[in-house]
Amino acid sequence: MSKTSEKSIDLTAKPLTTISGHEDRIRSIEYLPGGTRIVTCSLDKTVRIWDVETSEQEGISMQHEDQISSLAVTRAGTRILSGSEDNGIRVWDVETQELVEEWGIHTDNILCIAISPDDRLAASSGRSGMIVIREMRDDGEIKHSINADDVVHSLCFSPNGEKLACIVGIDSLLGKPGVIHVYDVQSGELVLGPIKGHTEPIVCLLWSLDGFQLFSASDDHTIRHWDSDTGESIGEPWKSHTHCVESLSLSPDGTKLASSSRDKTVRFWDARSGDPIEQLFRHDDVVNAVTFSPSGEFVASGGWDNKVSIWRVPWWDDIQKQTHKSFLDRPAVLVPNDLSNNKPQGELDFFDLPLGRRPIIPSSRLRRHPTDSTTVPITIRVQRFMRGFFARRSSSPAQAIELQPTREHHFWKFPSRIPLTEVAAGHAKNVTWFVQFTEGSSDLKCFT
């Protein structure tokens, strides 16, 4: 259960930089890959790209005829999608800011756009209640539509791209807080919902990094945490904001949640427990949007003051101190003598030990789906373990490490271009690592 901190809160935190240029409220903010540029959309009917180091606009403004209500950027960072109250979606080239395509079909205001994690699909919806799913690579050709039967306020794809969660049926005048629906992307069938619990309109929805949970924010001043299989609430509502919560963003490692609110603050939460993190960031007006940088070191936030503020997250210095600790400081673990497939279910396996950057898996999920990890080939398990180990040791953002097989079938080589942490001394340098194990035994050797 989350608890509002009773300790004093430092209100003196200042943004590293402030970006000005929009002539009306900022609605949404997205980082581009690399973390040196952001994309914003505003009620001034423009989409703009900014250099966060110089605080200067890059290129020209991308224009709509009406207020822009939604924004999405491809993971590759090459295209921007913007939705407007003129019922249209426009596709822009990031580098030239030129209009590439314009998609019609919606009969009412577009309120939300989402792009699948693989950049293949785009989903959009709004007041009409019709969710339209398009093929990004085929000039926006419509794949199929889903009728949600009521206004759709927010959309988000699951991390594997197989499900689409949305907020449906908000009507503040009639006192309808809305519900959460989850659809199968391929079939369009409703697979979960309606999920209920908020007492005021739900305004934002977000998947956890592992896809096992959903987070929602509401005008009832709370954030809620849901099991994405059952729709059941996980713990109590998270309470710390004193006004409507406007947006959510998950840190790249999935352990922290940022929220912005009409109480003019950006606050942070432990994504496991829901406990608030003490330090908050304060704006001079309502904060509509917040988003983490790709590295997790910064957040960008903006809203009714027409500005974007860039902040360093309060825990970043602690992370940097931890990354320089030696491998020798870690607690020892026992390696079982038997790595064969006849290991009793539930017995400790060295290669299955949790690593800091793995997704959060609730204990209830583990109880519902007991598995014997040794059914996975030992070669695959060694590769998984080493990827996770070095991702945790590196001070750079988590990245996939491809292991290259050598002529001997029991070796893998890490590419020398990837900076890894030297095991004994804890100093970062470029090294080539080899991993060797002996089939049927517990021998595991790491050497350069």
Side-chain angles (χ1 to χ4, degrees):
M1 179 186 301
S2 65
K3 299 177 288 294
T4 303
S5 174
E6 296 179 357
K7 298 180 180 180
S8 61
I9 297 175
D10 179 13
L11 300 180
T12 62
K14 301 295 182 183
L16 300 175
T17 187
T18 301
I19 300 172
S20 301
H22 277 295
E23 299 171 4
D24 207 333
R25 300 174 186 176
I26 292 170
R27 293 291 296 269
S28 185
I29 308 171
E30 296 282 351
Y31 265 94
L32 288 170
T36 61
R37 297 182 295 172
I38 57 172
V39 183
T40 59
C41 72
S42 166
L43 295 184
D44 66 10
K45 307 177 185 179
T46 67
V47 176
R48 308 189 191 203
I49 299 176
W50 309 88
D51 185 310
V52 297
E53 295 179 352
T54 65
S55 301
E56 297 295 328
Q57 183 175 343
E58 182 177 287
I60 61 174
S61 300
M62 293 157 272
Q63 191 85 30
H64 276 261
E65 278 71 47
D66 211 330
Q67 293 180 344
I68 300 172
S69 55
S70 51
L71 179 72
V73 178
T74 59
R75 184 158 296 192
T78 58
R79 293 287 186 268
I80 299 169
L81 273 60
S82 55
S84 169
E85 294 186 7
D86 58 18
N87 307 347
I89 297 174
R90 296 188 175 184
V91 183
W92 310 89
D93 183 276
V94 168
E95 300 307 323
T96 66
Q97 297 89 51
E98 292 181 353
L99 180 63
V100 178
E101 297 175 89
E102 190 164 5
W103 300 339
I105 203 62
H106 284 285
T107 59
D108 210 333
N109 297 351
I110 296 170
L111 300 179
C112 47
I113 302 175
I115 299 175
S116 63
D118 59 6
D119 285 349
R120 288 182 56 251
L121 301 175
S124 57
S125 192
R127 299 193 187 280
S128 68
M130 188 65 66
I131 302 171
V132 179
I133 299 179
R134 302 172 184 268
E135 297 278 358
M136 286 286 293
R137 298 176 184 174
D138 295 325
D139 300 325
E141 180 180 345
I142 296 176
K143 181 179 177 68
H144 62 81
S145 299
I146 302 169
N147 188 359
D149 294 325
D150 210 332
V151 59
V152 177
H153 191 82
S154 179
L155 289 169
C156 56
F157 282 91
S158 61
N160 62 12
E162 296 177 358
K163 297 178 182 179
L164 187 69
C166 61
I167 301 169
V168 179
I170 293 174
D171 192 327
S172 55
L173 294 179
L174 297 178
K176 295 170 58 178
V179 297
I180 299 170
H181 285 177
V182 179
Y183 294 94
D184 181 273
V185 170
Q186 290 299 322
S187 68
E189 294 182 358
L190 181 67
V191 295
L192 182 65
I195 300 173
K196 303 177 181 180
H198 284 288
T199 58
E200 296 290 340
I202 311 170
V203 297
C204 184
L205 192 61
L206 197 66
W207 289 88
S208 63
L209 200 62
D210 57 17
F212 292 158
Q213 300 112 47
L214 286 162
F215 302 97
S216 59
S218 168
D219 284 354
D220 63 14
H221 307 181
T222 71
I223 298 166
R224 300 202 66 154
H225 194 189
W226 312 92
D227 186 301
S228 63
D229 269 353
T230 66
E232 296 176 356
S233 177
I234 301 174
E236 296 296 321
W238 302 0
K239 298 178 180 180
S240 191
H241 282 293
T242 58
H243 210 311
C244 307
V245 185
E246 292 291 317
S247 68
L248 299 173
S249 181
L250 190 67
S251 63
D253 65 1
T255 63
K256 305 290 193 302
L257 195 72
S259 59
S260 68
S261 169
R262 292 198 176 198
D263 64 12
K264 306 179 184 179
T265 67
V266 172
R267 297 176 185 258
F268 299 97
W269 313 79
D270 185 301
R272 296 182 181 90
S273 65
D275 289 334
I277 295 171
E278 291 176 23
Q279 188 173 7
L280 57 80
F281 298 150
R282 187 172 294 279
H283 279 249
D284 294 329
D285 214 328
V286 171
V287 192
N288 281 336
V290 64
T291 187
F292 277 96
S293 68
S295 67
E297 182 178 359
F298 307 102
V299 291
S301 56
W304 288 20
D305 59 5
N306 308 348
K307 301 175 183 178
V308 176
S309 296
I310 308 295
W311 318 74
R312 179 173 280 111
V313 297
W315 58 86
W316 189 255
D317 289 342
D318 293 336
I319 290 178
Q320 296 309 297
K321 292 175 184 177
Q322 293 172 7
T323 58
H324 296 295
K325 290 183 179 179
S326 169
F327 175 78
L328 301 177
D329 294 332
R330 296 183 177 278
V333 295
L334 295 176
V335 180
N337 293 325
D338 183 15
L339 291 177
S340 63
N341 286 341
N342 59 6
K343 178 176 72 67
Q345 184 171 337
E347 185 176 320
L348 175 66
D349 191 314
F350 177 74
F351 300 116
D352 296 325
L353 291 174
L355 295 169
R357 292 185 182 271
R358 287 190 179 176
I360 305 165
I361 303 177
S363 57
S364 59
R365 177 61 56 88
L366 295 175
R367 290 195 297 270
R368 287 200 298 271
H369 303 289
T371 57
D372 185 355
S373 63
T374 54
T375 58
V376 179
I378 183 66
T379 57
I380 300 299
R381 290 160 55 215
V382 170
Q383 293 184 65
R384 288 177 180 172
F385 175 81
M386 298 310 296
R387 284 193 187 105
F389 171 75
F390 286 112
R392 184 177 182 182
R393 299 301 301 168
S394 172
S395 62
S396 60
Q399 57 182 316
I401 300 176
E402 295 298 330
L403 303 178
Q404 304 169 356
T406 65
R407 291 182 180 180
E408 297 79 10
H409 295 295
H410 298 290
F411 288 81
W412 292 270
K413 181 176 73 173
F414 289 89
S416 59
R417 68 178 183 276
I418 297 177
L420 303 174
T421 302
E422 189 175 29
V423 171
H427 302 302
K429 70 176 185 178
N430 288 339
V431 294
T432 299
W433 286 90
F434 291 88
V435 181
Q436 178 188 10
F437 78 95
T438 303
E439 194 74 51
S441 78
S442 61
D443 293 339
L444 174 65
K445 300 178 181 179
C446 302
F447 54 94
T448 61

